[in-house]
Structures are given as structure tokens and as C-alpha cells.
Amino acid sequence: MKPAPFAYLRPTTLEEALAALAGEQGAKVLAGGQSLVPLLSMRLAAPSMLVDVNGLPDLDHVHCDPSGVRIGALARHAHVLGSVEAAEVQPLLALALSHVAHPTIRNRGTTVGSIVHADAAAEMPMVLRLLEGSVDVMSVRGRRTIPAAELFAGPLESTLAHDELAVEAFFPALPAGAGVAFQEIARRHGDYALVGVAALVETDGDEVTRARVGFVSVSDVPVVVDVTHALDAPATAALAELDPAEDIHATAAYRAHLVSVLTPRVVAAATDHARSRAREVSPA
Ligand SMILES: Cc1cc2nc3c(=O)[nH]c(=O)nc-3n(C[C@H](O)[C@H](O)[C@H](O)COP(=O)(O)OP(=O)(O)OC[C@H]3O[C@@H](n4cnc5c(N)ncnc54)[C@H](O)[C@@H]3O)c2cc1C
């Protein structure tokens, strides 16, 4: 199908972009177009105007420092995945991004666009939530930071106002003594996950002090469950808080089965990762 008619604007300054979003209630941001264009073509979205942000300057950065990784709105998935520094500061980024779609889509789709698109079947919203990151947004009213815990309102729904442009996502660095792991089951590598699971485990010596698990494609928003007090049965603890969804791709029972298989695996792998990092810092 062809999209419904819309006006098209390609601003070259941030001010122009924000003014356009403020002035047109039905306007939508166009970033990589890898989610929005299919929605337009199927007429599942019919914005009155597309504000194409690809001409804006200084938004394609991947900045790393000891506190974490800052990803600009125009940084493509492939750019973030290719950053050796980002993978060192926060290894879960590369682990998860290698499962996001296929190379051609990663060359165009943006990591920030994926986050604000808020698809619970997408890897990066869950990763941001698990790591307790945030997104900075701008509008004509100024700039504000939205913590990941307040970002995902429902299926394909973020808490951004209609006139807000997400300019940067922040992923905190992996602290010393912490480890991460990610696994997913998809029909083909690069397809949306039937279920994806990530773990963030913090240790102090041999003791696990905190363990959290995030789930992709299980509920209609990204979900994170704290399993610190259930390390011998993390899947049971997770399933007590999850209500796996049924759709054309998988039954609820199959999703629950995948959760029960993947959860202990990623918790164990993240624990091993934490311990091996701790050994690197203080060799015996
Ligand atoms: C065949 C196929 C397979 C895919 N498989 C996967 C997969 O396995 N995992 C996965 O995570 N993703 C997958 N994707 C989606 C891909 O990652 C998209 O690139 C991503 O979800 C959206 O990023 P985008 O830059 O293309 O955003 P767009 O498509 O341009 O925009 C998506 C939405 O976000 C809004 N938006 C975008 N950027 C901003 C911004 N800076 N501020 C405010 N609003 C903004 C838009 O208005 C729109 O509502 C797949 C896509 C395709 C076509």
C-alpha cells in the first residue's frame, strides 16, 4: 500500500525541528524510517507531517566516558555496534545490538529511534530499562531527562509529548564486579525475538549482591524482574511476575517455556562474567 498524504520537512537546525513539532499536532519525527515507513505504508500511522531529522547537525555521536555511553539521535545501530569503546564501557550494548534486525536495517535504523518507538519486541528498550538508563528529550519548552522506568507507557507508546524530540540516550557503564549476558530465541538470527532475556548481576567477592533480568517479547512493555533473592530458581521468580503474551508468533505457554530455559542460563552467564571481570581487576 501507499502512505496517506503528508507534508514533509527536512530542517537543518534543532530550533527549526522543534518549532515544526510544536506547530503541528499531527507531526512525527522521521529518523531511520525502519519502523515508521512500514507503518506508513500499511496505513497503521497517518501523520500530517514528517519532520525528517537526518539533516540536523551533531546528533550522530557515540560518546563514552567512565560513567557510561551517550548515544545521539542519529547514531545508527551499526555505528553503536561497531564502537569498541562502547562495548568496553557497557558490554550489554553490543551483546544485544548484534540481535537487532539485519545489517541493512542496522545501517539505517537508529538506536534512539528504536527506544522511543517502544516496541516490547525490540532489544534496546529492554536494555535501557535493565541498565536503568535514560533518554534526554527537547522541545520548545527546553530539555528534560526521562528515566527508563518512566519511559514505556504501553505497546508502541512512550511518555514523550507529541512535540518532543529525543536527542540522546544514556546507558550507564557496567560497574566493577558486575556482569551481563543476553540470549534470545528467534526464528532466524536478526528476526524479532520470540523471547529475549538479559541479565545484570552485581557481585562482591563470591557473593551476588544484586541480580536483575530483563525480558523482550514477553509482555507488551519491556519488563525487568529482580531475582536477587531467588538465585537458585530465577525463572520461577520471573514467571511469578510475568504474564507471557500470546500472538501469531508463539503461544503464551511456549513463551513461558523459553523464559524458564533462558533465565537461569543468562543469570549464570552474567555471574560468570562478573566474576571473570573481578579476577581481571585483582588477579590472585
Ligand atoms: C525487517 C525488519 C526487522 C527488524 N528487526 C528488529 C529486531 O529484531 N529488533 C529491533 O529492535 N528492531 C528491529 N527492527 C526495527 C529497527 O531496529 C528500527 O530501526 C528501529 O526500531 C526504529 O529506529 P528508526 O531510526 O528506524 O526509527 P523510525 O522508523 O524513523 O521511527 C520510529 C518511531 O520513533 C519515532 N522517533 C524516531 N526517532 C525519534 C526521535 N529522535 N525523537 C522522537 N521520536 C522519534 C518516530 O516518530 C516513529 O514513531 C526491524 C525493522 C525491520 C524493517
Side-chain angles (χ1 to χ4, degrees):
M1 266 170 83
K2 290 181 181 160
F6 53 82
Y8 174 82
L9 186 75
R10 189 178 164 101
T12 51
T13 65
L14 193 55
E15 293 70 28
E16 199 189 340
L18 299 182
L21 289 171
E24 183 77 26
Q25 178 84 20
K28 263 204 164 304
V29 171
L30 176 69
Q34 298 303 298
S35 295
L36 184 54
V37 171
L39 289 178
L40 296 177
S41 299
M42 290 185 278
R43 297 208 176 190
L44 294 172
S48 56
M49 174 188 277
L50 290 190
V51 179
D52 179 347
V53 292
N54 287 280
L56 298 184
D58 305 326
L59 283 178
D60 63 350
H61 58 275
V62 178
H63 289 157
C64 304
D65 66 33
S67 71
V69 182
R70 293 177 190 282
I71 297 174
L74 288 175
R76 315 291 168 181
H77 294 307
H79 179 185
V80 186
L81 179 56
S83 167
V84 176
E85 215 185 346
E88 277 169 9
V89 173
Q90 181 41 263
L92 189 56
L93 286 176
L95 290 178
L97 278 165
S98 66
H99 292 274
V100 171
H102 306 276
T104 44
I105 293 158
R106 293 203 294 260
N107 284 340
R108 189 70 194 160
T110 65
T111 300
V112 169
S114 171
I115 290 166
V116 296
H117 187 55
D119 187 344
E123 288 80 0
M124 300 318 283
M126 181 277 279
V127 167
L128 191 84
R129 178 98 173 70
L130 177 66
L131 297 176
E132 298 173 325
S134 58
V135 168
D136 272 24
V137 301
M138 290 186 73
S139 70
V140 290
R141 296 177 301 285
R143 183 168 178 140
R144 68 179 178 123
T145 300
I146 309 177
E150 295 166 18
L151 187 62
F152 305 109
L156 299 181
E157 194 187 346
S158 78
T159 53
L160 267 68
H162 79 90
D163 62 343
E164 284 181 319
L165 174 70
V167 288
E168 189 177 78
F170 173 66
F171 293 84
L174 191 61
V180 285
F182 183 91
Q183 289 192 19
E184 75 174 40
I185 302 292
R187 287 170 68 89
R188 286 179 309 177
H189 186 88
D191 283 0
Y192 281 106
L194 296 173
V195 166
V197 185
L200 170 63
V201 170
E202 294 170 38
T203 61
D204 183 3
D206 272 346
E207 193 194 346
V208 171
T209 52
R210 193 178 184 216
R212 298 168 76 246
V213 186
F215 297 91
V216 170
S217 268
V218 173
S219 308
D220 55 14
V221 289
V223 188
V224 172
V225 179
D226 192 318
V227 298
T228 312
H229 302 294
L231 292 171
D232 48 345
T236 308
L239 283 167
E241 293 194 30
L242 297 170
D243 183 14
E246 175 148 356
D247 59 26
I248 54 166
H249 304 295
T251 62
Y254 184 52
R255 285 205 161 90
H257 172 70
L258 294 180
V259 167
S260 69
V261 172
L262 294 179
T263 303
R265 278 191 204 165
V266 293
V267 171
T271 307
D272 285 349
H273 184 222
R275 289 183 176 146
S276 70
R277 288 181 75 234
R279 278 196 298 276
E280 279 166 24
V281 174
S282 52

